[in-house]
Amino acid sequence: MNWNDLQVFLEIYESKTLRAAAKKLNVDQATIARRLNDLEEKLNTKLFIRSRNGVTPTSHALDLIPHLNTIQQETIDIERKLNQLQQEVIGTVKISTTDSLAIEFITPLIHRLQVKYPKLCIELTTTVETLDLNKAEVDISIRTFRAKEQDLIVKKLAEWEVGLYASKEYINKFGQPNDRLHHRHIVMYQQGILPYQNDRLVGEVVDHSNIITQVNSSLILMHMINSGSAIGELCSYFAKKNNLQRIWPNKKREQNYEVWLAMHKDSYKTKIVRIVINEIVKIFEKL
């Protein structure tokens, strides 16, 4: 016996005629009659007395009705719960990015996601290291260079020009640099942080004796420039956000500042990962 047989039985009982039950279940009357006969044979008992006016349940049928109604309601409740689980966004999505991108874009996103999806958790890692998407160390990676590993889906989110910037306080204190980097207040990334790093700023050779700080954090580099402690390369987006002054507007770094999103193709099949990715893309589309 299966649930479909029991549904036929309940529908015949509620509809009072085979024709009405067939119409309700969207099948022909002969099919309903055959399925009722099959059910009665399986149970080895008569369930309905047929007549010209319809069907009348036997005492055996009446004994079954309360139990079947309970089963039917429980089945409906289970189906509703399963539908809710499919619609709900529950789970953890792991995101890796730089500290400056995390503060500017991801932490505001987390707040909006929490409002829309209260059962979604974001595990946010800020690091200069590239976590392995193929080994599921992270679900979504947002970096300033394009990932080249196999089996990844990548998308460029943004691209900005990179120039040399200083704060107004720095210019007031140390003056505007001439056409050479003679200032002894330069901040740069440590070697190996950027894949395209060299000993130049916006194409100009840097005297290492003029470097006061080498950092491995984009947030610290930006803070050093913004606080008036040093001059350094910065993308136009963050420079404009901090009201920094561009030095030598006609000079720029050869490589633009790019923001790339990457995920493993299997991760993209997961509903909650797709939801987070779509929200991230929306943020950058509005810029």
Side-chain angles (χ1 to χ4, degrees), residues 30-74:
T31 299
I32 288 293
R34 176 178 53 78
R35 292 180 65 176
L36 176 58
N37 289 334
D38 291 343
L39 180 58
E40 289 178 329
E41 287 183 9
K42 290 177 183 177
L43 297 177
N44 194 28
T45 187
K46 197 72 173 175
L47 296 174
F48 293 97
I49 305 299
R50 282 86 158 173
S51 69
R52 292 182 179 180
N53 296 326
V55 294
T56 303
T58 65
S59 59
H60 296 294
L62 293 175
D63 288 340
L64 289 174
I65 292 300
H67 303 290
L68 295 182
N69 281 334
T70 300
I71 294 173
Q72 184 182 48
Q73 187 58 52
E74 290 178 349

Side-chain angles (χ1 to χ4, degrees), residues 240-264:
K240 186 179 295 184
K241 289 274 293 187
N242 290 280
N243 295 316
L244 297 174
Q245 294 187 3
R246 185 163 181 174
I247 300 169
W248 309 330
N250 61 327
K251 295 183 180 182
K252 64 178 183 178
R253 190 175 71 190
E254 183 178 350
Q255 298 85 7
N256 284 342
Y257 184 100
E258 298 178 345
V259 182
W260 287 87
L261 181 148
M263 79 223 75
H264 194 274

Side-chain angles (χ1 to χ4, degrees), residues 95-97 125 127-134 137-138 141 143 149:
I95 301 177
S96 171
T97 188
T125 301
T127 176
V128 295
E129 298 178 358
T130 303
L131 300 184
D132 198 330
L133 289 159
N134 287 312
E137 292 180 340
V138 64
S141 177
R143 290 289 162 190
E149 294 89 341

Side-chain angles (χ1 to χ4, degrees), residues 200-214:
R200 294 174 179 268
L201 288 180
V202 294
E204 293 294 328
V205 177
V206 176
D207 184 343
H208 279 257
S209 64
N210 293 333
I211 300 174
I212 62 167
T213 309
Q214 290 181 309

Side-chain angles (χ1 to χ4, degrees), residues 166-260:
S167 68
K168 293 179 181 179
E169 291 77 11
Y170 181 94
I171 298 297
N172 292 336
K173 185 175 181 180
F174 299 106
Q176 179 83 16
N178 58 21
D179 59 351
R180 296 292 178 186
L181 284 173
H182 66 283
H183 281 213
R184 292 182 55 83
H185 304 280
I186 295 173
V187 59
M188 294 184 68
Y189 282 113
Q190 298 170 9
Q191 288 295 323
I193 299 300
L194 301 178
Y196 40 75
Q197 190 171 338
N198 53 39
D199 292 331
R200 294 174 179 268
L201 288 180
V202 294
E204 293 294 328
V205 177
V206 176
D207 184 343
H208 279 257
S209 64
N210 293 333
I211 300 174
I212 62 167
T213 309
Q214 290 181 309
V215 300
N216 68 348
S217 161
S218 57
L219 188 63
I220 298 301
L221 182 137
M222 187 159 44
H223 175 74
M224 291 288 295
I225 300 172
N226 196 41
S227 66
S229 301
I231 61 175
E233 282 186 339
L234 206 59
C235 77
S236 57
Y237 175 85
F238 286 112
K240 186 179 295 184
K241 289 274 293 187
N242 290 280
N243 295 316
L244 297 174
Q245 294 187 3
R246 185 163 181 174
I247 300 169
W248 309 330
N250 61 327
K251 295 183 180 182
K252 64 178 183 178
R253 190 175 71 190
E254 183 178 350
Q255 298 85 7
N256 284 342
Y257 184 100
E258 298 178 345
V259 182
W260 287 87

